[in-house]
Structures are given as structure tokens and as C-alpha cells.
Amino acid sequence: MTATEKSTPPTGADDAAQSPTHLSHGLKQRHLSMIALGGVIGAGLFVGSGTAIAAAGPAAILAYAASGLLVMLVMRMLGEMSAAHPSSGSFSTHAERAIGPWAGFTVGWIFWFLLCVVVAIEAIGAAAIMTGWFPGTESWMWVALFMVLFTGSNLTAVKNFGEYEFWFALLKVLAIVGFLVLGVLAVLGLLPGTESPGGSFLFGEGGFFPNGSEGLILGLLASVFAYGGLETVTIAAAESENPVRGVAKAVRTAMWRIAIFYVGSVAVIVTLVPWNSEAVAGGPYAAALDSLNVPAAGTVMDVVVLIALLSAMNANIYGASRMSYSLATRGQGMAFLGKASGGVPRRTVLASSVFGFFAVLLSFWWPDTVFTWLLNMIGAAVLVVWGFVAVSQIRSRRRLEREAPEKLVVRMWAFPVLTYVALAAMLAVFVLMAREEGTRTQLYFTGGLTAALVVAGLIRQKLLGGSASVSPAGPRSAAPASAAPDVPLAKTEAKADAEAQKDADEQDATEKETAAARRS
């Protein structure tokens, strides 16, 4: 182990050293496991899968399988880096450490922007369900109620957020498991009162590829973004009781379960009901339950979708607040945001919630202009994040193998081959987006936002003399805005080497923790 790695805080959470009043460690392993599962099971699955099925037909199974494989690779990469250096900045911190400050700045703020706009979308969707149940009420009333509720929950101790998200996620998981059990029994002809459809819908409505390769491409584009949200678990891991062990276990167990939930449920839907049914396009899960004569199937799915939307709102406010807090404490944002009280970054919680609510107002004031621009700007943002993750993993893996191989608690499979395969797949998705008229605009707007952030990050880096806020030893402590720029990365490492002898106790604690994580 090198001196730079010896100075890593013994908790394993890099952000613990970033502020005199740092984040708490109130999340338990059960919280992380459910955050990992629940973060990606949202309206994108329950409602958005209908778009993929309508475009690709039964071949949507392949679209979700291919997208799922890509996400599994990304999460394995992210798990490797987060287990080695847990941080509430997650991939932003990893990008800053591996590529440079401009990269951490770019990917951190684009992710924050993505989460805040998604919070607005989820609030609007949840309000639409409530106004349907309670005619005469106004959408803005429900949006305001939900925003206040989840802003309040995120202003309290992180263990409260963990509990809320645990139960939200548990309800979603139970709904998916129940759907899969009923669906599989029906497909096998074992469900009382139903007959097995066999392959009549799977192959008989225009075949498995009813819309050819073009339909499969559209289904792939619709499915790939449905997996967004899984990244939140690596942010939350920094506030867990055992960050290294927590993120390692959560990433390992969540990936295959999510693949089963997505691919399995889509397979059940296209087997039970015709893919070209109008009911499938409107609500695929409700259509499948209706075909099984489940009472009040539409209402049941409305409840599940509402839970999914509220859960995602809660998780995205949390993720946005922690990401912006990490950026601020690393000197990548406004200094006044880099403060925490009682282990909670309340200022970034409020800032993220206010921006999310403002985005909702834009949907009322200028739905066809400004709000549409916001939606287009986040259209391909998750792919940009994944791209930075892949490049960061290539660079950080080689550094870890050279300097601190014992920190590789989670290892990327077949490195570096599968990392390059994942990068090639992301580039292929970008090309496919450019081919399709419906997604080309999103690609251009996201590209413009990314380019603007890259330029801002490079200018900021140049003004600071090319310094690195995060060295391999971990993030620097928060400094006032007037503080002198950090020294270059090489000098930071040299300084860490000179001080390494003072960190013997921390080294022992870190080695014990990583050993325990390997055993788990």
C-alpha cells in the first residue's frame, strides 16, 4: 500500500473528511439493499415499458436484456470504484480523481440537473394520479404537498430517509414479485380460471420481430434509460455503517435481481397479451392483470405507480442533495452549500427541492418551450454519466492495481475488455439516437448541456492552476472561497507521502474493513 492510500479515512467514506460537520452514517445494510432495488423500479418500468413493447413487439425482451447487460457492466464498474473509495460524490469524485477536476465538475452537475428535473416529472405524474382519484382538486396542490413532504423527510436524519425508502422499495418489489408469480402461473396454465396462451401472442402477432430491426432499435432506446436510478446506491453507501462492505454487497445482489424484474416481467407481458393492443401501450402491467381477470387491475397498478413515483421523488431529492453537497465541499460549487448540520446537508436539500419545484412551475408556465427544453437536456444525460464511469474505471483500476490492490474488494469482470465493450455499446446508443428523429433533438440538447459544463469545468480548472481537488488519498477538506488553489496532483501526492507515518492507525482500520468486506 502506498502512502497516498494510507491516508484514506478509516471509515472508507471519502466525504467524511470534507467538512468539519460531515455526513452521518445512519444507513443500514437493509436500507442499501432496498435502495439499490427500489431506485430502478419506478414508473419507467411500470409505464414506460409499454413504449418499448409498442415499438419492438415481443422483441422488447431482447431490448431490455441488452440494456440490462449494459447497466450490469456499468454498475460493476461503479461498484469497484465505490468500494475502493466510498463517497457521497460517487462517480463525480471518481471522475475527478481519475480524469481531472473538470470531469468531476461536469458529471456531477449534469447528474444533479438530471435528478432535479426528474423530481419535477415524478411530482407531475403523481399529481395526475391524485387528481384522477379526487376530481375537483388542482394538480399544483398535490405537487406542493409531495414536495413539502419529501423535502421534510430529507431534512431529517438520514436513517429516516433510509426507512422511508426501505418500505417504499419493499412495496414495489412485492408488487413485481406478485406480478411475476401470477404471470408465470398463467403462462404455464396453472392459474385457476385461465388458459395458457402458449406462443400465440409471442410469435403469432406478426412474429417475434413484428417491426423488424428498426422496431428493435426503438425498443432499445426506450428501454436503456429505464434503468437509470441504480447509481443512487453508491451515493447512499457513503452514509452507511460500513461503506465498503455495504456498497460491495448491494451492487452484487441488486444487479441480477433487477435483470429478472425487468426482463422477466416484460417477457410475461408479451406472452399474456398482444403486443399491439392499445391497453399495452397505455399500461402494460394493468393490461396483463386484466387478462388474468384480476379485480380492479387498473386501480391496483395506479397505486403501485404512485408508490413508485413517490419513492423516486424521495430518492432523487436525496441523491441530488448529496451530489451537490459533495461538489460544494470539493470546491466545485458554491461554498455555502458545503455545510452539514446534524449529519444532514440541509442547504443542498433545500436548494435541490427548490430547483425541482421551479421546474414544475415551468411545466405550468411554458410547457411547450422551456420545460420541453429541460426534458430534452436530460434525454441522454444518464448515458453521459455512464460514459464517465467507464473511462474513470479504466484509469482508476490501473492505479489501484499499482498502488493499492487490497482495495479491489469488487472487481470489474474481464477487465479491461468488458469495460471497452460497455463504452462501445454506449457509443452505439448515441449513434442510434442520432438516427432517430424522435431522439435526435434530445441528443443535441444533452450534448449542448454537456459541452457547456465541460467548458465551464476546464475554465475553472485553468483559473485554479490545473489543481486537483481529489487526490488518490481522498478529497481535500473544505476551504473558504478565498483560499489559495490546491497544488497540482503530483505535489498533493508528495505531501501525502511525507505525512504518511502519522496515519498508521487509520491504515490498520482501513485494512480490517476491506478484509471484512471480502469475507462478506
Side-chain angles (χ1 to χ4, degrees):
M1 179 186 295
T2 67
T4 55
E5 297 293 349
K6 291 176 185 177
S7 61
T8 302
T11 61
D14 286 346
D15 288 331
Q18 289 183 310
S19 172
T21 309
H22 53 72
L23 301 180
S24 63
H25 296 275
L27 296 177
K28 302 181 183 298
Q29 183 60 49
R30 65 184 178 89
H31 295 146
L32 287 185
S33 297
M34 279 302 176
I35 289 170
L37 289 173
V40 76
I41 302 175
L45 173 62
F46 293 119
V47 179
S49 54
T51 303
I53 293 172
I61 299 172
L62 298 181
Y64 273 97
S67 301
L69 286 174
L70 173 59
V71 174
M72 288 177 70
L73 295 179
V74 172
M75 284 308 300
R76 189 72 183 187
M77 291 183 255
L78 191 50
E80 176 183 288
M81 293 184 289
S82 297
H85 296 287
S87 166
S88 65
S90 186
F91 43 82
S92 173
T93 306
H94 306 324
E96 186 167 340
R97 177 183 286 108
I99 305 172
W102 70 268
F105 177 91
T106 300
V107 73
W109 284 115
I110 198 171
F111 189 71
W112 176 84
F113 183 80
L114 166 68
L115 292 187
C116 290
V117 175
V118 170
V119 164
I121 297 171
E122 289 151 350
I124 294 168
I129 293 175
M130 297 304 293
T131 53
W133 289 347
F134 300 95
T137 59
E138 296 291 337
S139 179
W140 67 265
M141 297 167 51
W142 295 108
V143 170
L145 174 63
F146 295 144
M147 292 299 295
V148 170
L149 177 64
F150 293 116
T151 299
S153 72
N154 277 279
L155 288 173
T156 62
V158 72
K159 65 180 180 181
N160 295 329
F161 160 78
E163 284 298 318
Y164 292 141
E165 198 55 29
F166 175 85
W167 292 107
F168 272 139
L170 181 60
L171 291 172
K172 291 190 289 186
V173 169
L174 290 176
I176 282 287
V177 170
F179 177 83
L180 287 173
V181 170
L182 287 175
V184 170
L185 289 176
V187 169
L188 297 176
L190 300 177
L191 191 68
T194 62
E195 294 183 4
S196 173
S200 59
F201 296 138
L202 200 57
F203 303 105
E205 298 285 330
F208 191 76
F209 294 93
N211 294 323
S213 59
E214 192 67 21
L216 181 60
I217 289 172
L218 292 174
L220 178 65
L221 294 178
S223 65
V224 71
F225 300 105
Y227 288 96
L230 190 55
E231 307 88 355
T232 303
V233 69
T234 60
I235 294 174
E239 293 185 78
S240 65
E241 296 173 328
N242 191 320
V244 174
R245 188 185 308 172
V247 72
K249 187 173 182 179
V251 168
R252 284 169 178 157
T253 58
M255 291 186 296
W256 64 269
R257 293 176 184 174
I258 288 169
I260 291 175
F261 290 159
Y262 269 78
V263 180
S265 59
V266 169
V268 165
I269 291 168
V270 296
T271 304
L272 290 178
V273 292
W275 66 270
N276 51 3
S277 160
E278 291 184 7
V280 170
Y285 286 78
L289 291 177
D290 270 331
S291 73
L292 302 180
N293 299 316
V294 174
T299 302
V300 169
M301 287 313 304
D302 277 346
V303 172
V304 173
V305 171
L306 178 64
I307 291 171
L309 289 168
L310 297 181
S311 170
M313 279 187 67
N314 191 36
N316 288 335
I317 291 174
Y318 169 84
S321 67
R322 267 50 179 188
M323 179 60 73
S324 53
Y325 168 79
S326 177
L327 287 162
T329 56
R330 288 185 277 128
Q332 302 275 30
M334 291 176 285
F336 82 93
L337 293 175
K339 306 292 181 183
S341 56
V344 179
R346 293 188 172 92
R347 296 181 183 182
T348 56
V349 169
L350 291 172
S352 301
S353 298
V354 167
F355 186 89
F357 189 71
F358 179 67
V360 172
L361 294 179
L362 292 178
S363 74
F364 290 119
W365 296 336
W366 299 291
D368 299 323
T369 52
V370 179
F371 188 68
T372 301
W373 298 340
L374 292 182
L375 296 183
N376 285 329
M377 280 191 279
I378 66 169
V382 71
L383 271 180
V384 174
V385 171
W386 293 351
F388 274 101
V389 168
V391 174
S392 301
Q393 189 267 333
I394 291 172
R395 296 173 65 91
S396 66
R397 171 66 172 266
R398 289 168 176 156
R399 177 179 291 169
L400 284 170
E401 287 179 333
R402 183 175 64 252
E403 299 178 354
E406 71 281 359
K407 283 183 171 285
L408 289 170
V409 178
V410 178
R411 289 175 178 264
M412 176 60 182
W413 304 301
F415 176 82
V417 175
L418 286 183
T419 302
Y420 285 116
V421 168
L423 270 172
M426 295 173 207
L427 290 174
V429 174
F430 280 127
V431 171
L432 294 177
M433 290 186 71
R435 287 180 67 248
E436 301 298 328
E437 184 177 353
T439 55
R440 191 180 301 130
T441 302
Q442 296 176 6
L443 185 62
Y444 292 159
F445 272 79
T446 302
L449 174 63
T450 304
L453 288 172
V454 168
V455 170
L458 288 171
I459 292 174
R460 175 191 169 279
Q461 181 174 316
K462 185 175 182 179
L463 291 176
L464 292 177
S467 62
S469 299
V470 180
S471 74
R476 63 177 175 84
S477 298
S482 60
D486 294 337
V487 295
L489 182 58
K491 294 183 180 180
T492 304
E493 293 177 346
K495 183 178 179 180
D497 288 338
E499 297 176 352
Q501 296 304 316
K502 299 179 182 180
D503 301 322
D505 292 338
E506 294 184 357
Q507 175 189 351
D508 292 340
T510 304
E511 290 175 348
K512 289 178 183 178
E513 184 178 335
T514 30
R518 277 205 193 94
R519 288 196 297 272
S520 68

